[in-house]
Amino acid sequence: MMTRTEMTTKTGQRCGEKSRASSCAFAESISNVAIETFSRLRENTAREYNLRAANEEEENHHLRTVMSAFIALDARTNRMTCLTVANGTKTISDEDFDREMEKKSYERGKLRDLHAEVLARRALKRYLALEMKALSNEGYEDTEDSFLLERVKRDDDGGGNRVLFQMKTHKSIHLYVSSCPCGNATIRKWAKGGMDDGNDTKIGPFTMPTQTHETPFLPLDVQKGSVAVTLKKATVVSMPAKNDEDDDASSASVAALYENGTLAKGTLPVGENRAGRMCTCSDKIASWNALGVQGSLLATKLTEPIFIQSITIGRKFAYKHCARAFCCRVSKTFPSVNHPVLMQCERKFDLAPIDTDSVVVFDNPHSLIWTAGEEDVIEVCNGKTGQREEEEDEQEESSSRYCSSAFESLFFDTFKEESSGAGANIEEQMKEYAAINVTINDYDASKEKLWGKSFIPRSQEQTRRRRANVGKMYYIQNKRNEEVDR
């Protein structure tokens, strides 16, 4: 039987991903764990979800997607473990998004953003919460050192001991994405592409390379949106233009931005951002590097934030663009921002054939989501509705276990003794917990600072007329601050 490589060569086609060089052996180790875990899981999904790998008999069965995973590394044993894995490229419609955002967080049963990186991070939060739940049980000990977290005791204001958690010093987490995250990282402007010149291809498979990010931002670049937040287009565009003339003018304007490289495909123009819409994956990764990947609720149970130590990317990787997008552009507001090691892997995730001159289209509407520790639970969600796909005999969709309401229920079920008493609803627990926990307020203040000051120009100021002035004032103010510091 022909191998996939032989099949694509003989038919004059190529794989969905072009050949590329590897940054180092460590990047290959990360990609191997991620891809092999996803490959094993997707073979257990229903055939109608089109997640299974294509083969010679069913060449067109597979639909393209993007996959992401969080990997844990144990520095003592050099063991890599896949913690979470997910795939997806879709978002729900604007109308569904608005309806969800009108609800309280504990009422939101839909996944709004079903891009792979976002789903993998939701799964990671669930994984951390499940570890905390297990470690909270009296007498439980992680004798096999399989957990990422460990339990610690800290004195509280009342003179007692408060149980918190922290990352084990010999363990770290790493992010893999099969294709460059959408948004700023895919804009090929303001820096040269390619890999980091300092990457060492001679290091071992469990040794992470060292990097120093140096990404200057020129005032003119800022005016054009080099540090700005960008928003994802909805999967279903349901708001028509006012008239055909407006529609034609808008399309021509957007096409020009695509052509000159200052707008990433799949995102709205910087001057057309609308408050409340979904930020791109580049922006979200930047926030994880500034605030930690754990989110506000889990931050209340950790001694310090959890940061990603490295990011490995498959197709469309460019070191300087990723450095700018994922961390460096927020460094003025957050000098302590985490700068993960950025790498490119040689191993391809998408092996399905494509015509040589064709453009890759990610057309699979289904998202697989999985968390370690729940081995038998493979969830598949509809990327256009944000809900879980049920078995054929049920003929309905239901809320995902990774939605906001499910996560908050898991958290307060684990730590209900610290909020309201037994029988209290989620809303009462949320209010009381937020009132007594200063960490939530600190986290929210930092998040407001991030979105309000780091991504200049801010979303509410991003009109075409004001964009240049905002960028100019940003640099004037920074220059004044630097002079004062001197």
Side-chain angles (χ1 to χ4, degrees):
M1 183 174 179
M2 291 185 295
T3 65
R4 170 59 52 78
T5 303
E6 291 171 342
M7 181 175 66
T8 56
T9 300
K10 289 189 176 183
T11 57
Q13 297 177 319
R14 65 172 177 86
C15 293
E17 298 181 30
K18 296 179 180 179
S19 298
R20 54 184 178 259
S22 173
S23 295
C24 58
F26 186 83
E28 297 310 307
S29 298
I30 292 289
S31 63
N32 288 339
V33 173
I35 294 173
E36 288 165 12
T37 300
F38 182 80
S39 298
R40 173 176 58 83
L41 293 170
R42 71 180 177 184
E43 292 305 315
N44 293 324
T45 62
R47 188 167 295 278
E48 61 266 25
Y49 298 147
N50 294 317
L51 290 169
R52 299 186 183 184
N55 55 46
E56 186 180 357
E57 290 75 24
E58 297 178 299
E59 183 175 332
N60 298 320
H61 178 74
H62 171 79
L63 294 179
R64 300 184 196 284
T65 188
V66 172
M67 186 267 287
S68 182
F70 279 96
I71 310 297
L73 171 64
D74 187 330
R76 291 178 178 174
T77 62
N78 285 340
R79 180 183 179 186
M80 288 185 175
T81 305
C82 186
L83 302 179
T84 70
V85 68
N87 77 278
T89 59
K90 308 303 177 186
T91 64
I92 61 176
S93 68
D94 283 350
E95 286 87 348
D96 283 346
F97 180 88
D98 290 339
R99 281 192 288 267
E100 282 294 292
M101 296 307 291
E102 289 172 357
K103 302 175 183 178
K104 302 290 186 182
S105 60
Y106 50 82
E107 298 173 332
R108 296 171 188 164
K110 289 187 176 181
L111 298 171
R112 302 174 296 281
D113 185 343
L114 289 95
H115 282 216
E117 305 91 313
V118 178
L119 294 178
R121 189 256 186 164
R122 279 186 177 270
L124 179 65
K125 289 171 62 178
R126 179 176 176 84
Y127 174 83
L128 294 172
L130 290 172
E131 276 202 0
M132 290 180 181
K133 185 173 185 177
L135 291 170
S136 296
N137 294 329
E138 287 295 331
Y140 184 88
E141 297 293 338
D142 181 21
T143 56
E144 296 182 359
D145 192 28
S146 59
F147 281 14
L148 198 65
L149 303 175
E150 61 185 357
R151 186 172 50 198
V152 294
K153 289 186 177 182
R154 295 288 175 88
D155 294 337
D156 59 24
D157 295 336
N161 288 325
R162 183 183 177 208
V163 175
L164 295 175
F165 305 90
Q166 65 184 16
M167 280 273 291
K168 294 177 179 177
T169 56
H170 60 285
K171 295 197 175 183
S172 56
I173 61 171
H174 307 263
L175 175 63
Y176 166 83
V177 191
S178 65
S179 186
C180 189
C182 66
N184 195 293
T186 63
I187 298 177
R188 299 298 184 247
K189 283 284 188 179
W190 313 305
K192 292 183 178 180
M195 293 193 299
D196 174 26
D197 294 335
N199 279 2
D200 189 353
T201 56
K202 297 180 181 179
I203 61 175
F206 301 104
T207 302
M208 186 171 65
T210 57
Q211 284 179 350
T212 301
H213 295 182
E214 296 179 357
T215 307
F217 297 101
L218 302 176
L220 182 61
D221 297 341
V222 173
Q223 294 169 24
K224 293 180 178 179
S226 65
V227 300
V229 65
T230 50
L231 305 180
K232 297 174 181 176
K233 287 183 179 179
T235 299
V236 180
V237 179
S238 52
M239 295 297 291
K242 292 180 180 179
N243 54 57
D244 293 340
E245 185 178 344
D246 289 342
D247 191 20
D248 292 341
S250 175
S251 299
S253 174
V254 171
L257 292 173
Y258 286 148
E259 186 175 350
N260 67 27
T262 55
L263 177 64
K265 291 189 176 181
T267 62
L268 295 168
V270 174
E272 295 182 5
N273 285 355
R274 291 164 287 172
R277 300 302 184 193
M278 289 162 279
C279 295
T280 60
C281 294
S282 291
D283 299 323
K284 292 182 178 181
I285 292 174
S287 72
W288 303 343
N289 282 320
L291 306 173
V293 75
Q294 75 288 324
S296 61
L297 274 182
L298 293 181
T300 65
K301 305 302 299 179
L302 291 165
T303 60
E304 58 185 9
I306 296 176
F307 292 109
I308 302 167
Q309 297 304 302
S310 75
I311 301 177
T312 300
I313 296 173
R315 64 188 297 274
K316 301 293 184 181
F317 172 78
Y319 166 70
K320 289 188 177 180
H321 298 301
C322 289
R324 176 192 68 230
F326 299 156
C327 48
C328 295
R329 60 184 167 139
V330 303
S331 58
K332 285 186 177 292
T333 311
F334 285 82
S336 61
V337 64
N338 174 57
H339 293 277
V341 173
L342 305 173
M343 301 172 290
Q344 174 175 274
C345 65
E346 181 180 11
R347 181 168 180 176
K348 300 174 183 178
F349 167 69
D350 183 4
L351 297 177
I354 184 175
D355 291 338
T356 304
D357 298 328
S358 297
V359 177
V360 172
V361 177
F362 299 111
D363 48 3
N364 196 322
H366 296 107
S367 294
L368 177 156
I369 320 172
W370 174 85
T371 303
E374 298 180 300
E375 298 296 333
D376 298 329
V377 182
I378 303 173
E379 182 171 296
V380 178
C381 290
N382 185 322
K384 296 182 179 181
T385 66
Q387 293 183 291
R388 186 176 68 200
E389 298 273 20
E390 296 290 2
E391 298 296 333
E392 289 185 5
D393 55 343
E394 297 187 29
Q395 296 294 320
E396 290 183 359
E397 294 179 334
S398 61
S399 295
S400 166
R401 64 175 52 80
Y402 300 99
C403 68
S404 297
S405 60
F407 174 74
E408 291 180 9
S409 294
L410 171 61
F411 181 87
F412 286 110
D413 179 62
T414 302
F415 303 109
K416 56 188 173 185
E417 73 283 353
E418 296 183 22
S419 52
S420 299
N425 60 39
I426 293 290
E427 182 173 13
E428 292 171 346
Q429 294 182 59
M430 281 286 290
K431 289 180 179 178
E432 183 172 340
Y433 194 75
I436 65 174
N437 204 307
V438 69
T439 306
I440 287 184
N441 297 326
D442 290 343
Y443 184 93
D444 289 343
S446 296
K447 190 173 183 179
E448 183 177 349
K449 177 183 176 182
L450 172 70
W451 294 103
K453 295 183 178 181
S454 296
F455 299 121
I456 299 294
R458 294 180 292 180
S459 59
Q460 62 265 35
E461 297 173 335
Q462 289 181 23
T463 61
R464 288 188 175 92
R465 292 180 180 179
R466 299 182 61 189
R467 190 167 61 212
N469 288 334
V470 171
K472 181 179 179 181
M473 291 305 299
Y474 170 71
Y475 264 86
I476 290 175
Q477 186 60 48
N478 275 329
K479 186 175 181 180
R480 288 175 181 169
N481 293 340
E482 290 172 359
E483 291 173 351
V484 171
D485 293 340
R486 290 179 190 145

